[in-house]
Protein backbone atom coordinates (compact mmCIF):
# COMPACT_ATOMS: atom_id res chain seq x y z
CA UNK A 1 0.00 0.00 0.00
CA UNK A 2 2.95 2.32 0.53
CA UNK A 3 3.46 2.22 -3.26
CA UNK A 4 -0.08 3.29 -4.16
CA UNK A 5 -0.07 5.73 -7.06
CA UNK A 6 -2.26 7.10 -9.81
CA UNK A 7 -1.85 6.10 -13.45
CA UNK A 8 0.35 8.26 -15.64
CA UNK A 9 -0.51 9.72 -19.01
CA UNK A 10 -3.34 12.05 -19.91
CA UNK A 11 -5.58 13.47 -17.17
CA UNK A 12 -8.50 14.83 -19.20
CA UNK A 13 -10.88 15.55 -16.31
CA UNK A 14 -8.30 17.41 -14.27
CA UNK A 15 -7.16 19.35 -17.33
CA UNK A 16 -10.72 20.40 -18.23
CA UNK A 17 -11.62 21.45 -14.69
CA UNK A 18 -8.35 23.33 -14.23
CA UNK A 19 -8.89 25.22 -17.48
CA UNK A 20 -12.36 26.34 -16.36
CA UNK A 21 -11.11 27.47 -12.94
CA UNK A 22 -8.10 29.24 -14.44
CA UNK A 23 -10.43 31.12 -16.78
CA UNK A 24 -12.58 32.19 -13.83
CA UNK A 25 -9.64 33.77 -12.02
CA UNK A 26 -8.47 35.48 -15.19
CA UNK A 27 -11.94 36.91 -15.78
CA UNK A 28 -12.24 38.07 -12.16
CA UNK A 29 -8.68 39.41 -12.13
CA UNK A 30 -8.27 38.20 -8.57
CA UNK A 31 -5.79 36.04 -6.70
CA UNK A 32 -6.56 32.48 -5.63
CA UNK A 33 -5.59 33.29 -2.05
CA UNK A 34 -7.64 34.93 0.67
CA UNK A 35 -8.86 38.50 0.49
CA UNK A 36 -10.20 41.23 2.74
CA UNK A 37 -13.27 39.18 3.63
CA UNK A 38 -11.10 36.36 4.92
CA UNK A 39 -8.83 38.66 6.91
CA UNK A 40 -11.80 40.39 8.55
CA UNK A 41 -13.24 37.00 9.46
CA UNK A 42 -9.89 35.88 10.83
CA UNK A 43 -9.78 38.98 13.04
CA UNK A 44 -13.26 38.24 14.40
CA UNK A 45 -12.40 34.60 15.09
CA UNK A 46 -9.09 35.41 16.78
CA UNK A 47 -10.82 38.04 18.91
CA UNK A 48 -13.38 35.44 20.03
CA UNK A 49 -10.57 32.94 20.65
CA UNK A 50 -8.60 35.34 22.85
CA UNK A 51 -11.53 36.82 24.77
CA UNK A 52 -12.99 33.38 25.52
CA UNK A 53 -9.58 32.26 26.79
CA UNK A 54 -9.41 35.26 29.14
CA UNK A 55 -12.97 34.48 30.28
CA UNK A 56 -11.89 30.90 31.05
CA UNK A 57 -9.34 32.26 33.51
CA UNK A 58 -11.42 35.03 35.08
CA UNK A 59 -15.12 34.12 35.03
CA UNK A 60 -16.29 32.23 38.12
CA UNK A 61 -19.12 29.82 38.84
CA UNK A 62 -20.96 27.80 36.25
CA UNK A 63 -20.34 30.51 33.64
CA UNK A 64 -16.71 29.44 33.71
CA UNK A 65 -17.64 26.16 32.06
CA UNK A 66 -19.59 28.08 29.42
CA UNK A 67 -16.40 30.03 28.68
CA UNK A 68 -14.51 26.74 28.15
CA UNK A 69 -17.24 25.56 25.76
CA UNK A 70 -17.16 28.80 23.78
CA UNK A 71 -13.37 28.59 23.61
CA UNK A 72 -13.65 25.05 22.25
CA UNK A 73 -15.93 26.29 19.47
CA UNK A 74 -13.59 29.23 18.81
CA UNK A 75 -10.68 26.80 18.57
CA UNK A 76 -12.54 24.84 15.89
CA UNK A 77 -13.18 28.10 14.01
CA UNK A 78 -9.46 28.87 14.07
CA UNK A 79 -8.75 25.41 12.65
CA UNK A 80 -11.39 25.59 9.94
CA UNK A 81 -10.81 29.15 8.78
CA UNK A 82 -7.19 30.09 9.50
CA UNK A 83 -5.04 27.02 10.02
CA UNK A 84 -6.57 25.03 7.19
CA UNK A 85 -6.07 27.70 4.53
CA UNK A 86 -2.60 28.47 5.86
CA UNK A 87 -1.57 24.80 5.72
CA UNK A 88 -2.63 24.70 2.06
CA UNK A 89 -0.78 27.98 1.37
CA UNK A 90 -4.01 29.67 0.32
CA UNK A 91 -4.62 32.03 3.25
CA UNK A 92 -2.45 34.73 1.67
CA UNK A 93 -0.09 35.37 -1.21
CA UNK A 94 2.57 35.84 1.47
CA UNK A 95 4.48 32.63 2.22
CA UNK A 96 5.34 33.88 5.71
CA UNK A 97 1.73 34.72 6.55
CA UNK A 98 0.65 31.27 5.36
CA UNK A 99 3.24 29.72 7.68
CA UNK A 100 1.95 31.78 10.60
CA UNK A 101 -1.63 30.74 9.84
CA UNK A 102 -0.57 27.08 9.69
CA UNK A 103 1.31 27.50 12.96
CA UNK A 104 -1.98 28.16 14.77
CA UNK A 105 -2.45 24.37 14.71
CA UNK A 106 0.42 24.13 17.19
CA UNK A 107 -1.34 26.73 19.34
CA UNK A 108 -4.59 24.76 19.45
CA UNK A 109 -2.98 21.46 20.37
CA UNK A 110 -1.56 19.59 17.38
CA UNK A 111 1.38 20.11 15.02
CA UNK A 112 1.62 21.64 11.54
CA UNK A 113 4.22 19.12 10.30
CA UNK A 114 2.02 16.19 11.30
CA UNK A 115 -0.96 17.85 9.61
CA UNK A 116 0.96 18.37 6.39
CA UNK A 117 1.78 14.66 6.25
CA UNK A 118 -1.59 13.37 7.40
CA UNK A 119 -3.87 15.77 5.57
CA UNK A 120 -2.10 17.41 2.64
CA UNK A 121 -0.02 14.44 1.53
CA UNK A 122 -2.05 11.35 2.46
CA UNK A 123 -5.69 12.36 2.74
CA UNK A 124 -5.73 14.70 -0.25
CA UNK A 125 -3.84 12.27 -2.46
CA UNK A 126 -5.48 8.98 -1.50
CA UNK A 127 -8.87 9.93 -0.12
CA UNK A 128 -10.77 6.98 1.41
CA UNK A 129 -7.97 4.52 0.58
CA UNK A 130 -7.40 2.04 3.43
CA UNK A 131 -3.98 2.03 5.13
CA UNK A 132 -3.09 5.41 3.63
CA UNK A 133 -5.90 7.82 4.58
CA UNK A 134 -5.81 7.96 8.38
CA UNK A 135 -9.14 9.79 8.43
CA UNK A 136 -10.94 6.48 7.86
CA UNK A 137 -8.84 4.54 10.37
CA UNK A 138 -10.50 4.38 13.79
CA UNK A 139 -8.22 1.58 15.08
CA UNK A 140 -11.12 -0.86 14.86
CA UNK A 141 -13.54 1.18 17.00
CA UNK A 142 -15.58 2.04 13.91
CA UNK A 143 -15.80 0.34 10.56
CA UNK A 144 -15.84 3.09 7.93
CA UNK A 145 -14.72 1.19 4.84
CA UNK A 146 -16.16 -2.06 3.45
CA UNK A 147 -12.64 -3.54 3.35
CA UNK A 148 -12.01 -3.02 7.05
CA UNK A 149 -12.38 -5.95 9.44
CA UNK A 150 -15.81 -6.38 10.97
CA UNK A 151 -16.37 -6.93 14.68
CA UNK A 152 -19.67 -7.77 16.34
CA UNK A 153 -19.88 -4.48 18.21
CA UNK A 154 -19.86 -2.59 14.89
CA UNK A 155 -23.55 -3.44 14.59
CA UNK A 156 -24.20 -0.62 17.04
CA UNK A 157 -21.59 1.84 15.74
CA UNK A 158 -24.18 4.16 14.22
CA UNK A 159 -25.41 4.69 17.79
CA UNK A 160 -22.30 4.71 19.98
CA UNK A 161 -20.20 6.77 17.56
CA UNK A 162 -21.91 9.97 18.74
CA UNK A 163 -20.71 9.33 22.31
CA UNK A 164 -17.11 8.82 21.17
CA UNK A 165 -16.86 11.81 18.82
CA UNK A 166 -16.43 14.20 21.82
CA UNK A 167 -13.13 12.39 22.50
CA UNK A 168 -11.79 12.98 18.98
CA UNK A 169 -9.48 15.92 19.63
CA UNK A 170 -8.18 14.48 22.92
CA UNK A 171 -7.27 11.23 21.15
CA UNK A 172 -5.86 13.14 18.20
CA UNK A 173 -3.66 15.53 20.17
CA UNK A 174 -2.49 13.12 22.87
CA UNK A 175 -2.28 9.80 21.01
CA UNK A 176 -2.25 10.05 17.20
CA UNK A 177 0.20 12.94 17.10
CA UNK A 178 2.70 11.04 19.23
CA UNK A 179 2.10 7.79 17.37
CA UNK A 180 2.93 9.45 14.03
CA UNK A 181 5.91 11.30 15.53
CA UNK A 182 7.44 8.13 16.94
CA UNK A 183 6.77 5.97 13.85
CA UNK A 184 7.55 8.71 11.29
CA UNK A 185 4.63 7.52 9.21
CA UNK A 186 0.88 7.99 8.74
CA UNK A 187 -0.99 4.73 8.40
CA UNK A 188 1.38 2.52 6.41
CA UNK A 189 2.93 5.39 4.45
CA UNK A 190 6.26 6.85 5.56
CA UNK A 191 6.66 10.60 5.99
CA UNK A 192 7.76 12.31 2.79
CA UNK A 193 11.08 13.08 4.51
CA UNK A 194 12.53 12.58 7.96
CA UNK A 195 11.84 15.28 10.48
CA UNK A 196 14.72 17.68 11.06
CA UNK A 197 15.97 18.56 14.54
CA UNK A 198 14.02 21.84 14.33
CA UNK A 199 10.81 19.92 13.49
CA UNK A 200 11.29 17.67 16.52
CA UNK A 201 11.97 20.68 18.73
CA UNK A 202 8.87 22.47 17.45
CA UNK A 203 6.73 19.38 18.07
CA UNK A 204 7.92 18.90 21.66
CA UNK A 205 7.88 22.60 22.54
CA UNK A 206 4.33 22.98 21.19
CA UNK A 207 3.09 20.04 23.25
CA UNK A 208 4.70 21.41 26.42
CA UNK A 209 3.30 24.90 25.81
CA UNK A 210 -0.18 23.48 25.24
CA UNK A 211 -0.13 21.74 28.62
CA UNK A 212 1.21 24.88 30.30
CA UNK A 213 -1.39 27.15 28.72
CA UNK A 214 -4.46 24.95 29.09
CA UNK A 215 -3.75 23.04 32.31
CA UNK A 216 -0.92 24.47 34.39
CA UNK A 217 -1.89 28.16 34.05
CA UNK A 218 -5.63 27.63 34.71
CA UNK A 219 -4.76 25.53 37.79
CA UNK A 220 -3.05 28.58 39.27
CA UNK A 221 -6.28 30.58 39.05
CA UNK A 222 -9.14 28.06 39.24
CA UNK A 223 -10.06 24.99 41.24
CA UNK A 224 -8.98 21.57 40.03
CA UNK A 225 -12.62 20.65 39.38
CA UNK A 226 -13.19 23.72 37.21
CA UNK A 227 -10.08 23.06 35.15
CA UNK A 228 -10.68 19.33 34.65
CA UNK A 229 -14.36 19.72 33.77
CA UNK A 230 -13.69 22.80 31.65
CA UNK A 231 -10.85 21.15 29.74
CA UNK A 232 -13.03 18.12 28.98
CA UNK A 233 -15.95 20.34 27.90
CA UNK A 234 -13.66 22.33 25.62
CA UNK A 235 -12.40 19.17 23.94
CA UNK A 236 -15.92 17.71 23.75
CA UNK A 237 -17.22 20.53 21.57
CA UNK A 238 -13.96 20.73 19.63
CA UNK A 239 -13.93 16.96 19.05
CA UNK A 240 -17.51 16.83 17.84
CA UNK A 241 -17.00 19.72 15.42
CA UNK A 242 -13.74 18.30 14.03
CA UNK A 243 -15.11 14.77 13.67
CA UNK A 244 -18.50 15.56 12.19
CA UNK A 245 -17.35 18.21 9.69
CA UNK A 246 -14.66 15.99 8.18
CA UNK A 247 -16.78 12.82 8.26
CA UNK A 248 -19.67 14.41 6.36
CA UNK A 249 -17.45 14.88 3.31
CA UNK A 250 -16.18 11.30 2.96
CA UNK A 251 -17.85 8.82 5.33
CA UNK A 252 -21.33 9.02 3.83
CA UNK A 253 -23.39 6.85 1.54
CA UNK A 254 -22.61 8.86 -1.62
CA UNK A 255 -18.83 8.53 -1.16
CA UNK A 256 -16.90 5.56 -2.51
CA UNK A 257 -13.99 3.68 -0.94
CA UNK A 258 -11.58 2.84 -3.74
CA UNK A 259 -8.44 0.70 -3.62
CA UNK A 260 -5.39 0.22 -5.87
CA UNK A 261 -4.82 -2.97 -7.84
CA UNK A 262 -2.18 -5.57 -6.97
CA UNK A 263 0.52 -3.33 -8.43
CA UNK A 264 -0.59 -0.32 -6.37
CA UNK A 265 -2.17 1.52 -9.30
CA UNK A 266 -5.43 3.37 -8.67
CA UNK A 267 -8.14 2.81 -11.24
CA UNK A 268 -9.00 6.44 -12.03
CA UNK A 269 -7.05 9.59 -12.63
CA UNK A 270 -6.63 11.66 -9.47
CA UNK A 271 -9.42 14.18 -10.19
CA UNK A 272 -11.97 11.44 -10.86
CA UNK A 273 -10.91 9.70 -7.65
CA UNK A 274 -11.64 12.92 -5.73
CA UNK A 275 -15.06 13.26 -7.36
CA UNK A 276 -15.95 9.68 -6.44
CA UNK A 277 -14.77 9.84 -2.82
CA UNK A 278 -15.75 13.39 -1.80
CA UNK A 279 -19.16 14.98 -1.19
CA UNK A 280 -20.32 18.57 -0.61
CA UNK A 281 -23.06 19.45 1.87
CA UNK A 282 -25.27 22.49 2.44
CA UNK A 283 -23.74 24.49 -0.44
CA UNK A 284 -26.44 27.15 -0.16
CA UNK A 285 -25.88 27.82 3.56
CA UNK A 286 -23.98 31.09 3.92
CA UNK A 287 -23.66 30.59 7.69
CA UNK A 288 -22.06 27.14 7.42
CA UNK A 289 -19.77 28.33 4.63
CA UNK A 290 -18.63 31.21 6.86
CA UNK A 291 -18.24 29.16 10.04
CA UNK A 292 -16.70 26.03 8.52
CA UNK A 293 -14.20 27.82 6.34
CA UNK A 294 -15.82 26.42 3.21
CA UNK A 295 -15.37 22.82 4.37
CA UNK A 296 -18.92 22.13 3.27
CA UNK A 297 -17.44 22.54 -0.24
CA UNK A 298 -15.08 19.60 0.06
CA UNK A 299 -15.19 18.68 -3.64
CA UNK A 300 -13.93 22.12 -4.58
CA UNK A 301 -11.33 22.00 -1.85
CA UNK A 302 -10.01 18.57 -2.81
CA UNK A 303 -9.72 19.45 -6.48
CA UNK A 304 -8.14 22.86 -5.84
CA UNK A 305 -6.60 22.79 -2.34
CA UNK A 306 -4.42 25.84 -2.96
CA UNK A 307 -7.45 28.04 -3.66
CA UNK A 308 -8.76 29.87 -0.59
CA UNK A 309 -12.17 28.81 0.70
CA UNK A 310 -13.62 32.28 0.06
CA UNK A 311 -13.78 31.31 -3.64
CA UNK A 312 -15.49 27.92 -3.19
CA UNK A 313 -19.11 29.04 -3.76
CA UNK A 314 -18.12 30.49 -7.14
CA UNK A 315 -16.11 27.38 -8.01
CA UNK A 316 -19.05 25.18 -7.04
CA UNK A 317 -21.19 26.61 -9.84
CA UNK A 318 -18.35 26.20 -12.34
CA UNK A 319 -17.51 22.63 -11.35
CA UNK A 320 -21.16 21.55 -11.21
CA UNK A 321 -21.59 22.56 -14.84
CA UNK A 322 -18.24 21.22 -16.04
CA UNK A 323 -18.49 17.89 -14.20
CA UNK A 324 -21.99 17.24 -15.48
CA UNK A 325 -20.72 17.68 -19.04
CA UNK A 326 -17.87 15.26 -18.32
CA UNK A 327 -20.20 12.64 -16.84
CA UNK A 328 -18.65 13.04 -13.39
CA UNK A 329 -21.24 14.98 -11.38
CA UNK A 330 -20.40 16.79 -8.14
CA UNK A 331 -21.91 14.75 -5.32
CA UNK A 332 -23.75 16.82 -2.76
CA UNK A 333 -26.33 16.89 0.03
CA UNK A 334 -28.61 19.91 0.03
CA UNK A 335 -28.59 20.40 3.82
CA UNK A 336 -26.53 19.62 6.88
CA UNK A 337 -29.27 17.31 8.17
CA UNK A 338 -29.26 15.29 4.96
CA UNK A 339 -25.49 14.86 5.29
CA UNK A 340 -25.81 13.79 8.94
CA UNK A 341 -28.47 11.25 7.95
CA UNK A 342 -26.19 9.97 5.18
CA UNK A 343 -23.34 9.54 7.67
CA UNK A 344 -25.68 7.64 10.00
CA UNK A 345 -26.85 5.38 7.16
CA UNK A 346 -23.30 4.65 6.07
CA UNK A 347 -22.17 3.70 9.58
CA UNK A 348 -25.23 1.49 10.01
CA UNK A 349 -24.52 -0.19 6.68
CA UNK A 350 -20.84 -0.75 7.55
CA UNK A 351 -21.94 -2.22 10.88
CA UNK A 352 -23.41 -5.22 9.07
CA UNK A 353 -20.96 -8.09 8.43
CA UNK A 354 -21.98 -8.42 4.77
Amino acid sequence: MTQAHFPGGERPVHRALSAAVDQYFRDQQTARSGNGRLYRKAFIILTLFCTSFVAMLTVTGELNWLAWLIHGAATALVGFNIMHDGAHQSFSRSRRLNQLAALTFNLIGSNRYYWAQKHNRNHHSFTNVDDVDEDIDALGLFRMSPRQKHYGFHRAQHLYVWFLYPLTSLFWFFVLDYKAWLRQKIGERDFSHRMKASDHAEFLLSKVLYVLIYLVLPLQLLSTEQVVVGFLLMHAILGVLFAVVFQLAHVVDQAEFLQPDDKGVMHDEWAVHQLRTTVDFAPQSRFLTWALGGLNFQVEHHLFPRVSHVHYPALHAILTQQCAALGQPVRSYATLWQALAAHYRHLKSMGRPD
Side-chain angles (χ1 to χ4, degrees), residues 62-78:
E62 293 182 358
L63 287 178
N64 178 261
W65 292 335
L66 177 61
W68 284 88
L69 279 171
I70 294 173
H71 188 70
T75 301
L77 292 177
V78 170

Side-chain angles (χ1 to χ4, degrees), residues 167-187:
L167 303 176
T168 298
S169 56
L170 278 173
F171 187 70
W172 182 350
F173 297 168
F174 293 102
V175 177
L176 293 181
D177 280 6
Y178 288 98
K179 177 185 174 185
W181 176 60
L182 292 170
R183 296 173 68 234
Q184 293 287 289
K185 63 171 56 180
I186 301 292

Side-chain angles (χ1 to χ4, degrees), residues 24 27 40-41 48 78 136 139 176 185 254 280-281 283:
Y24 165 78
D27 292 344
R40 287 191 294 272
K41 178 167 67 166
L48 176 62
V78 170
I136 60 169
L139 303 180
L176 293 181
K185 63 171 56 180
Q254 283 195 42
D280 286 347
F281 64 92

Side-chain angles (χ1 to χ4, degrees), residues 16-268:
L17 298 180
S18 295
V21 170
D22 290 345
Q23 186 62 50
Y24 165 78
F25 283 106
R26 283 196 296 269
D27 292 344
Q28 296 297 313
Q29 297 183 338
T30 187
R32 295 174 177 238
S33 57
N35 53 28
R37 285 191 296 130
L38 176 56
Y39 305 145
R40 287 191 294 272
K41 178 167 67 166
F43 177 78
I44 293 170
I45 290 171
L46 288 174
T47 300
L48 176 62
F49 179 83
C50 294
T51 54
S52 60
F53 180 78
V54 172
M56 285 163 41
L57 302 179
T58 56
V59 173
T60 59
E62 293 182 358
L63 287 178
N64 178 261
W65 292 335
L66 177 61
W68 284 88
L69 279 171
I70 294 173
H71 188 70
T75 301
L77 292 177
V78 170
F80 294 152
N81 293 275
I82 300 173
M83 180 281 294
H84 193 236
D85 270 26
H88 284 289
Q89 302 178 50
S90 64
F91 184 81
S92 167
R93 282 181 285 188
S94 166
R95 185 169 178 265
R96 186 175 297 275
L97 191 54
N98 282 326
Q99 290 176 334
L100 288 174
L103 195 59
T104 60
F105 206 33
N106 295 50
L107 176 66
I108 65 178
S110 190
N111 177 260
R112 62 174 177 169
Y113 185 93
Y114 162 75
W115 179 257
Q117 299 295 320
K118 165 190 166 68
H119 184 75
N120 295 18
R121 182 168 180 261
N122 282 28
H123 173 68
H124 269 267
S125 297
F126 299 98
T127 311
N128 281 7
V129 176
D130 287 313
D131 299 324
V132 182
D133 185 0
E134 193 180 59
D135 285 7
I136 60 169
D137 180 10
L139 303 180
L141 289 174
F142 317 136
R143 183 173 182 247
M144 301 184 190
S145 162
R147 292 169 182 82
Q148 293 173 351
K149 186 175 180 179
H150 180 271
Y151 296 99
F153 57 81
H154 288 151
R155 291 180 181 273
Q157 68 175 6
H158 59 293
L159 301 175
Y160 69 70
V161 69
W162 309 102
F163 297 97
L164 293 181
Y165 278 166
L167 303 176
T168 298
S169 56
L170 278 173
F171 187 70
W172 182 350
F173 297 168
F174 293 102
V175 177
L176 293 181
D177 280 6
Y178 288 98
K179 177 185 174 185
W181 176 60
L182 292 170
R183 296 173 68 234
Q184 293 287 289
K185 63 171 56 180
I186 301 292
E188 296 305 319
R189 196 178 190 212
D190 292 334
F191 281 180
S192 57
H193 57 273
R194 307 301 290 179
M195 295 177 71
K196 297 180 293 187
S198 58
D199 295 322
H200 287 290
E202 180 184 306
F203 179 89
L204 293 172
L205 180 61
S206 297
K207 291 299 185 181
V208 171
L209 285 176
Y210 186 75
V211 172
L212 290 175
I213 292 170
Y214 283 97
L215 290 174
V216 176
L217 176 59
L219 282 171
Q220 309 309 307
L221 303 170
L222 304 168
S223 69
T224 301
E225 179 188 8
Q226 282 181 310
V227 174
V228 171
V229 174
F231 187 75
L232 293 177
L233 286 173
M234 178 186 74
H235 272 284
I237 187 67
L238 176 61
V240 168
L241 289 172
F242 272 176
V244 171
V245 168
F246 287 111
Q247 297 288 56
L248 296 188
H250 306 290
V251 188
V252 288
D253 57 9
Q254 283 195 42
E256 298 182 57
F257 294 79
L258 308 173
Q259 298 297 308
D261 62 21
D262 294 339
K263 297 181 180 180
V265 181
M266 302 301 298
H267 180 267
D268 299 305

Side-chain angles (χ1 to χ4, degrees), residues 11-22 304 318-319 322 326:
R11 297 184 297 167
V13 173
H14 185 259
R15 187 172 63 250
L17 298 180
S18 295
V21 170
D22 290 345
F304 299 98
I318 296 169
L319 294 181
Q322 292 291 323
L326 293 167

